Amino acid sequence: MCIRDRYQRRVHGMIDLDLPRTFPNHAIFSENSPISQNLRDVLATFAHFRPDVGYVQGMSYLAAVLLLHMDEFKSFVCFCNLVCQPALLPIFLMDEQQIEGRMEIFRLFAEENIPNLFRHMEREGVSPKMYFFEWMLTLFSKVLDFDNASRVWDCFFFEGPLILFKTGIALLKLMEKDLLREDITGMMKRLKNVNAYIHDDDQFVQALRDIEVSERAIRLREALLNKFLFDLSLIHI
């Protein structure tokens, strides 16, 4: 069996394993449904289009959300543009330095906006990579319901990647009182159920608006992005 065939089998196996876990409570994505097949096709085609990225667990949530709003071809085009933009591509490439840089930006946001909770989580050993990494990779579509996730996506397309950090902090702020009473086990359990803390649209939107973005955080993000673009340019020389 050639390398290409082994790659195809591995990718298709990963996709088939992930699909039943993508929005499992929504009948439209049930096994053998038309949209489920479309989802498989979009993900497999992308993996062959960008073998350097391949398939990463969690991608299925992004493609699934797009398929709810457009046909298969348009979903594929949007999916490619979404995954391959500089703000997200390092995550899907599993670039540890870039991922850790994003976690450091999130720590800075937390330290500036929710200092008490930030210190409590640090003491308990709850790092951003244990929860925010997945939130960012799926653009919150795994932990929020469709309505709330759609609001985050709208803000992401309109305002840019900083909204992902602001959304993460806003969610922690809504959960702060409960999280401060928990140890690492309790916090991780609550962090998997963040949607329960959004009681109305206005509350969520206001929580996002209340998050402050310092110049230091902006400079750190820009430096990280510039380094990635520079490293990427070297690859293509």
Side-chain angles (χ1 to χ4, degrees):
M1 184 181 294
C2 68
I3 294 175
R4 182 179 178 181
D5 289 339
R6 287 199 298 269
Y7 172 74
Q8 289 179 342
R9 288 188 62 182
R10 182 173 65 84
V11 165
H12 283 269
M14 292 170 63
I15 292 172
D16 288 339
L17 185 65
D18 227 13
L19 288 186
R21 300 184 292 200
T22 304
F23 297 122
N25 298 322
H26 294 275
I28 193 171
F29 291 107
S30 61
E31 189 175 4
N32 297 323
S33 67
I35 198 170
S36 180
Q37 183 58 53
N38 292 341
L39 179 56
R40 180 181 287 104
D41 291 343
V42 168
L43 296 171
T45 303
F46 176 80
H48 298 305
F49 171 61
R50 288 294 304 261
D52 58 321
V53 181
Y55 178 75
V56 177
Q57 187 177 7
M59 278 183 170
S60 55
Y61 281 89
L62 301 181
V65 171
L66 293 172
L67 283 165
L68 290 174
H69 296 89
M70 58 193 80
D71 63 34
E72 185 176 344
F73 175 73
K74 290 180 180 178
S75 293
F76 172 72
V77 173
C78 288
F79 182 78
C80 291
N81 289 323
L82 184 62
V83 170
C84 296
Q85 66 162 280
L88 296 178
L89 182 57
I91 298 174
F92 294 105
L93 288 172
M94 293 298 161
D95 184 324
E96 284 298 327
Q97 187 178 21
Q98 286 282 324
I99 291 172
E100 185 52 41
R102 283 156 176 75
M103 299 306 108
E104 189 59 35
I105 294 172
F106 189 76
R107 288 189 186 93
L108 181 56
F109 268 71
E111 187 177 9
E112 293 173 344
N113 287 275
I114 44 173
N116 292 335
L117 180 57
F118 167 73
R119 288 190 292 269
H120 178 65
M121 296 181 84
E122 289 286 302
R123 283 195 301 268
E124 290 293 328
V126 180
S127 69
K129 200 169 183 180
M130 296 168 67
Y131 59 96
F132 182 66
F133 175 75
E134 183 180 75
W135 291 358
M136 195 175 196
L137 186 142
T138 61
L139 296 186
F140 294 90
S141 55
K142 185 175 180 179
V143 293
L144 298 180
D145 61 29
F146 283 139
D147 289 340
N148 289 318
S150 294
R151 291 184 182 88
V152 175
W153 282 52
D154 286 344
C155 292
F156 175 76
F157 290 128
F158 184 71
E159 299 181 23
L162 276 178
I163 195 64
L164 301 180
F165 299 96
K166 293 175 69 175
T167 300
I169 298 301
L171 291 173
L172 291 182
K173 201 168 186 177
L174 293 174
M175 305 170 71
E176 184 169 10
K177 290 182 180 178
D178 286 341
L179 290 176
L180 284 171
R181 294 196 294 263
E182 301 284 3
D183 59 10
I184 183 173
T185 303
M187 279 191 280
M188 292 307 300
K189 185 176 180 180
R190 289 187 182 277
L191 288 167
K192 294 181 184 298
N193 192 34
V194 294
N195 199 76
Y197 287 83
I198 303 176
H199 302 301
D200 61 71
D201 301 344
D202 293 337
Q203 174 204 34
F204 185 38
V205 172
Q206 188 58 50
L208 283 173
R209 289 174 178 168
D210 288 342
I211 303 304
E212 297 181 0
V213 182
S214 68
E215 286 296 325
R216 182 184 170 197
I218 293 175
R219 288 197 302 270
L220 182 59
R221 194 191 76 85
E222 289 177 346
L224 193 69
L225 179 59
N226 289 336
K227 184 182 185 309
F228 174 70
L229 292 175
F230 177 73
D231 292 345
L232 197 62
S233 70
L234 295 179
I235 296 173
H236 295 288
I237 290 177

